[in-house]
Every structure is written in structure tokens, then in C-alpha cells.
Amino acid sequence: MVRVKAPAMRAKSKDELLKQLEDLKTELSTLQVQKVTGGATNKLSKIKDVRKSIARCHTVLRANQRENLRKFYQKKKYIPLDLRPKKTRALRRKLTAHEASLKTKTTAEEKMLISASECLP
């Protein structure tokens, strides 16, 4: 089997990808047997390409799975931790705009008293 490109894999469905993955794994096992039995050197250099193609296939499958999960959790209140934006620790703990705009009861009362005293002659 020839080297597989990731963009070509992204166009395939999940079933096609799983079938391709199975084919690559069987090809890898036959190449490893040939290596042990003393096969040709051109076959041995092909092992690396097949392993990389298997990794690409796994990567595309995982990316598609994460994309589907993002769509599923898009309108939900809570999102799983691994789907949330990474950012930095400080940015993740920073107050949201709504939380920052909230005032305590005491602050609201003080502001009301000050505005009331400014209105008096």
C-alpha cells in the first residue's frame, strides 16, 4: 500500500477509515514477518511508511471524533475539560465580564447614597 495523505483521509467516512486502518495493520504484520524471516531490504524500509500511515489514520479518526463532540456540546451549559480552550492558567481563572460587572450589596447602597446626596441642594 502506498503512503496515505491526511487530507485524502479526512474526506473518507468513519467506516472507510476503520477498514483502511485494518488493512494497514495487516500489511504491517506481514512486513514484520518478512523482516524476521529475512525479507528484501526494500520491504523493510516500507515498515516505517506503514507505521506512519497508521498513526495518520488514528489522528484523523480522533480529530473527527473531537469535531463531532464539539458540535454535540456546543449548546450545552457544561463542556468536557478536554474540549475547552486551553489558554493559560491565569486566563482560565480570570473573572468573566459578567462576574466583573457584579457589585456587592454594600457597594450598591453606597453608590445610591452618594448619588442621592449629590442631588440635594
Side-chain angles (χ1 to χ4, degrees):
M1 191 172 251
V2 295
R3 190 171 162 206
V4 185
K5 303 278 187 181
M9 294 172 109
R10 287 190 183 97
K12 295 183 178 182
S13 68
K14 182 180 177 183
D15 295 330
E16 292 172 335
L17 284 172
L18 290 173
K19 175 145 179 31
Q20 186 176 14
L21 182 64
E22 192 63 37
D23 293 342
L24 287 167
K25 285 184 177 182
T26 55
E27 184 179 357
L28 180 64
S29 65
T30 58
L31 288 172
Q32 287 172 335
V33 168
Q34 288 176 356
K35 178 184 175 184
V36 171
T37 57
T41 55
N42 62 345
K43 295 283 187 181
L44 298 180
S45 62
K46 206 173 167 192
I47 289 177
K48 179 181 176 184
D49 289 338
V50 174
R51 287 179 62 231
K52 299 287 183 183
S53 295
I54 290 173
R56 268 188 215 94
C57 197
H58 280 297
T59 302
V60 170
L61 281 168
R62 179 72 175 143
N64 289 344
Q65 182 184 30
R66 286 176 63 88
E67 183 181 334
N68 291 335
L69 283 171
R70 282 184 203 281
K71 287 178 186 174
F72 177 75
Y73 283 107
Q74 196 170 22
K75 302 291 181 182
K76 306 282 188 211
K77 184 176 181 181
Y78 297 112
I79 299 173
L81 293 176
D82 61 332
L83 296 179
R84 293 180 192 173
K86 177 78 170 132
K87 299 185 180 179
T88 62
R89 190 169 190 266
L91 284 175
R92 288 195 306 265
R93 279 149 182 76
K94 185 179 177 182
L95 291 177
T96 62
H98 174 71
E99 291 170 339
S101 68
L102 293 176
K103 304 289 184 224
T104 63
K105 185 178 176 184
T106 310
T107 310
E109 288 174 356
E110 286 175 358
K111 187 175 181 183
M112 198 165 46
L113 287 173
I114 291 171
S115 64
S117 66
E118 288 174 353
C119 294
L120 294 176

